[in-house]
Amino acid sequence: MSVEHVPVVVIGAGPTGITVATLLAQYGIDCVILDRWAQVYPQPRAVHLDDEICRIVARLGLADGFAAISRPAHGLRLLDGSMNVLAEFNRDTALSGNGFPQANMFDQPEFETLLRANLERYPRARLRGGVEVTEVTDAKPDRVRVTYTDRSDGTEHRVDADYVLGCDGANSITRRRIGSRMHDLGFEQRWLVVDVATSADIDQWEGVHQVCDPQRAATYMRIGETRYRWEFQLLQSESAGDYATLDSLLPLFRPWVDQVPADDLTLVRVTEYTFRAQLADRWRRGRVFLLGDAAHLTPPFIGQGMGAGLRDAMNLAWKLAGVLDSALPEDVLDTYAQERKPHARTMIRLALGIGRCMTAGGELGSLTRRMVLPALQRLPGVTAKVLAGETPPLRRSALVRRARTPRRLAGRLCPNPVITGGHRLDAVLGGGFAVVTTSSPSPRERALIEQRGAIVHVTGTDSDLGRWLRRRRATAVLVRPDRAVMQAGRDLDRLCQRLPRYRDRSYSTGPGERLG
């Protein structure tokens, strides 16, 4: 049997797998994506992406495409079990400092269709659907062999790769093959997830509704022009089979659709999900990496499940491309888990905390929420805190260098404002490293920046970027290809010395496509 060789094999063609493959192809890296499904899985699952993740979507060349299929969410409304409003936090749906609405609702099959259609623009990424990966083994010291079966005819195939990326979900074969295990973070709840389509006017507030009730916690959200999602915590004696028909479901979501005739509602999907909080103990073995749900499972209370996988893809893709292009040393790949694992753990714990605050405590918890939440909403700054979209900075690594300044920037995303020419910063910086500064570089500094393959962007002190730097007592930052700040400071010459040599050799999103 002949054995094919490619630089990268991606196992799993969900959003994480397609995203990392597209990014690698943009950097000129050949890869093969293997997935057991020939087409997009048709059932709705994830429904939310934040503005930070939208920057990654834009990086793929899909800013306009995603905007066309998504809908900004207006905030969060907390209700008790009798549907009385305890607190309401209204979100401005205008563009944030990242260049997109802070919260965006969408239908996952539509998004995945968009991702796959976009992948076709990159011949370096080849998708093979309808195959079953059966084995991941070391072939040579510098090769990994992936064995898979064509489900249409049962034939077996092998492909050797320099690196393998396991994006194959919660039941990951890649995780099992590298000896990694999921560590349970102490949360497991069974929920009923219901998707409904209707052209009728439901006439509900356009934000997310969270029913804070220990007996029947629930979530409602509008995810499109005619699409709606409900989630209900199941009682111990219940299962999805008890709610297989619209008639059986109407008592649960009647508070939201009381004025809508049942004949105007179309049931799209009813399923049971077990919401879990888990983190893989090992994210890498040698040349095999875990990404997305293969590495972490996040309860949905803050809408960061899919986003976490796309963060993995963005964090790893440019590093792996740099290593394969001999622009970066192989040990930079160690920073993937060093940066992403603590970030994922923090977001999972945040989701757990929010979920428990909303649903735990029995009758005492319900009483506490009725007393505390209305008063809490009136405190200055609370709404901004509840709706804050910025995630925690990346932990220190070889690619996150923290200075001893009062307001550290390293590990945080650089803003993405509109700059000269009407473009956003992301579109100008390309796919490599960059220096953003309020100080005009000397000829020597410019030469060094160019020698290292970076781009320099000089901004005015009164611009959005200038004010961002000044508030944090910096005059310049090194910005990584994933837009995270590598290092900040006031000595431009010293910062330039820290720039890695990194050649952005083939970054392109195609003709006429906007990045931001």
Side-chain angles (χ1 to χ4, degrees):
M1 182 187 299
S2 61
V3 180
E4 180 186 7
H5 171 256
V6 292
V8 179
V9 167
V10 178
I11 302 175
T16 299
I18 296 294
T19 295
V20 76
T22 305
L23 292 168
L24 288 169
Q26 287 180 347
Y27 280 112
I29 304 299
D30 290 312
C31 57
V32 168
I33 311 106
L34 305 174
D35 195 83
R36 73 188 314 269
W37 302 108
Q39 305 295 329
V40 169
Y41 186 69
Q43 298 294 352
R45 285 158 290 160
V47 295
H48 171 268
L49 290 178
D50 66 20
D51 54 337
E52 293 183 356
I53 304 304
C54 284
R55 291 177 72 171
I56 300 173
V57 174
R59 182 70 166 264
L60 304 177
L62 292 174
D64 295 335
F66 183 69
I69 66 166
S70 61
R71 182 184 189 88
H74 289 234
L76 175 67
R77 174 180 283 178
L78 304 178
L79 307 102
D80 64 16
S82 300
M83 304 302 289
N84 299 307
V85 177
L86 301 174
E88 184 174 294
F89 304 95
N90 291 285
R91 174 182 278 117
D92 185 354
T93 58
L95 306 187
S96 73
N98 285 306
F100 301 91
Q102 278 190 307
N104 304 272
M105 314 305 293
F106 65 97
D107 176 61
Q108 183 169 341
E110 277 191 304
F111 181 47
E112 290 198 44
T113 299
L114 196 66
L115 287 170
R116 290 199 182 198
N118 185 60
L119 184 73
E120 294 177 1
R121 297 193 300 161
Y122 300 97
R124 289 185 177 276
R126 291 166 286 158
L127 173 59
R128 296 175 187 168
V131 304
E132 190 84 35
V133 173
T134 57
E135 196 61 68
V136 180
T137 57
D138 294 330
K140 299 177 182 178
D142 58 350
R143 296 280 174 86
V144 181
R145 178 162 295 174
V146 179
T147 304
Y148 64 94
T149 302
D150 189 319
R151 299 178 72 198
S152 66
D153 59 15
T155 56
E156 186 176 89
H157 304 266
R158 296 174 183 173
V159 56
D160 283 359
D162 300 321
Y163 293 93
V164 170
L165 310 184
C167 307
D168 45 347
N171 297 315
S172 168
I173 186 175
T174 314
R175 186 178 63 239
R176 294 197 298 272
R177 291 299 184 266
I178 69 170
S180 175
R181 296 184 179 183
M182 281 294 203
H183 175 61
D184 196 327
L185 298 182
F187 182 87
E188 184 174 308
Q189 287 184 355
R190 295 166 52 249
W191 283 65
L192 184 74
V193 179
V194 184
D195 287 272
V196 169
T198 180
S199 57
D201 183 8
I202 287 186
D203 192 28
Q204 292 291 334
W205 183 69
E206 290 288 288
V208 175
H209 301 202
Q210 177 64 52
V211 179
C212 305
D213 180 26
Q215 300 303 315
R216 180 74 82 184
T219 307
Y220 157 84
M221 56 203 118
R222 184 174 186 175
I223 61 175
E225 288 299 318
T226 60
R227 292 290 299 277
Y228 300 84
R229 160 72 59 88
W230 280 269
E231 298 171 353
F232 301 96
Q233 187 173 359
L234 286 167
L235 304 181
Q236 189 172 0
S237 60
E238 294 176 328
S239 70
D242 299 322
Y243 296 99
T245 65
L246 188 60
D247 286 342
S248 60
L249 284 164
L250 279 174
L252 294 181
F253 52 68
R254 181 55 73 187
W256 289 275
V257 297
D258 192 45
Q259 304 302 316
V260 180
D263 290 345
D264 290 343
L265 302 174
T266 300
L267 201 56
V268 176
R269 187 193 192 198
V270 181
T271 191
E272 179 181 324
Y273 274 114
T274 300
F275 296 160
R276 292 186 172 92
Q278 295 182 341
L279 196 66
D281 57 4
R282 173 189 289 183
W283 287 37
R284 174 190 184 187
R285 190 191 72 185
R287 291 173 173 259
V288 182
F289 294 81
L290 301 180
L291 296 81
D293 286 356
H296 43 72
L297 294 174
T298 308
F301 301 111
I302 57 173
Q304 288 290 333
M306 180 190 289
L310 269 61
R311 293 180 202 274
D312 295 343
M314 186 70 254
N315 187 287
L316 183 58
W318 66 271
K319 298 172 183 176
L320 188 54
V323 170
L324 287 167
D325 196 31
S326 301
L328 295 174
E330 189 172 2
D331 60 8
V332 304
L333 298 177
D334 295 337
T335 67
Y336 166 63
Q338 289 170 5
E339 294 173 358
R340 284 297 305 135
K341 189 174 182 180
H343 191 277
R345 182 187 293 111
T346 298
M347 299 306 290
I348 291 171
R349 286 175 174 167
L350 177 60
L352 289 178
I354 296 295
R356 286 166 176 156
C357 284
M358 290 179 175
T359 63
E363 290 303 318
L364 179 59
S366 295
L367 177 62
T368 302
R369 284 186 284 270
R370 286 195 296 271
M371 295 174 60
V372 172
L373 289 177
L376 187 66
Q377 181 186 4
R378 293 190 291 270
L379 294 177
V382 168
T383 295
K385 193 71 174 176
V386 169
L387 299 177
E390 185 180 18
T391 60
L394 299 175
R395 292 283 184 90
R396 182 191 297 272
S397 75
L399 293 167
V400 177
R401 299 172 177 268
R402 292 205 170 120
R404 296 182 180 277
T405 56
R407 299 176 182 177
R408 295 180 297 185
L409 288 173
R412 297 189 181 278
L413 282 180
C414 177
N416 185 32
V418 175
I419 58 176
T420 305
H423 298 289
R424 291 196 175 273
L425 182 67
D426 282 356
V428 174
L429 297 187
F433 281 84
V435 178
V436 176
T437 178
T438 55
S439 304
S440 184
S442 68
R444 177 184 174 279
E445 290 165 345
R446 280 190 180 274
L448 181 58
I449 292 169
E450 292 176 6
Q451 182 187 38
R452 301 293 173 91
I455 289 175
V456 63
H457 176 74
V458 181
T459 186
T461 56
D462 290 329
S463 67
D464 290 337
L465 284 170
R467 288 189 290 271
W468 172 71
L469 288 168
R470 188 171 64 248
R471 285 196 302 269
R472 290 154 179 83
R473 302 182 185 180
T475 59
V477 289
L478 305 184
V479 181
R480 309 185 331 174
D482 58 3
R483 304 301 182 246
V485 173
M486 175 178 171
Q487 189 170 355
R490 304 181 67 87
D491 187 334
L492 181 57
D493 185 78
R494 184 179 180 186
L495 285 176
C496 291
Q497 297 288 341
R498 296 290 180 89
L499 272 171
R501 296 180 184 273
Y502 190 89
R503 186 161 58 97
D504 177 19
R505 63 179 184 173
S506 63
Y507 182 78
S508 171
T509 58
E513 195 70 53
R514 288 194 302 111
L515 280 172

